[in-house]
Amino acid sequence: VYVQIFANNYGECLMRLRQFGKAEGILLRTQSSLSKAMGAESPRVAKARARLAELYDAMGKPDQAAAWRKPLEAKPDAS
């Protein structure tokens, strides 16, 4: 699990460097594996989903961003 957390953090770094293609693949893979390992309700998984929403906003893909953000909005305690 720690490797996946590190990789998700790395994906965020790539996103901030505007290396969107690399970031997208890493963020998608790590969100999926973290969700399987920790459960969909985990705060760590919520953070991974938020990063994907932020990535798609930065890429100019608001529909995809909204799809990743929607589960977060349903739970006000997820941040």
Side-chain angles (χ1 to χ4, degrees):
V1 172
Y2 293 110
V3 172
Q4 296 305 319
I5 292 170
F6 172 80
N8 193 263
N9 292 339
Y10 178 60
E12 180 181 21
C13 292
L14 290 171
M15 174 182 56
R16 299 209 184 281
L17 291 170
R18 303 191 61 78
Q19 295 182 17
F20 298 139
K22 290 179 185 178
E24 182 179 27
I26 290 170
L27 292 174
L28 286 169
R29 280 192 304 276
T30 57
Q31 187 281 328
S32 176
S33 62
L34 286 169
S35 184
K36 289 177 187 171
M38 303 180 91
E41 303 299 316
S42 167
R44 181 61 68 176
V45 174
K47 187 174 207 168
R49 293 183 67 83
R51 285 177 174 161
L52 280 162
E54 185 179 352
L55 171 71
Y56 287 122
D57 279 334
M59 292 173 73
K61 298 181 177 183
D63 292 340
Q64 285 179 282
W68 284 105
R69 193 171 284 115
K70 188 173 182 178
L72 296 176
E73 293 171 353
K75 299 187 183 321
D77 59 322
S79 53

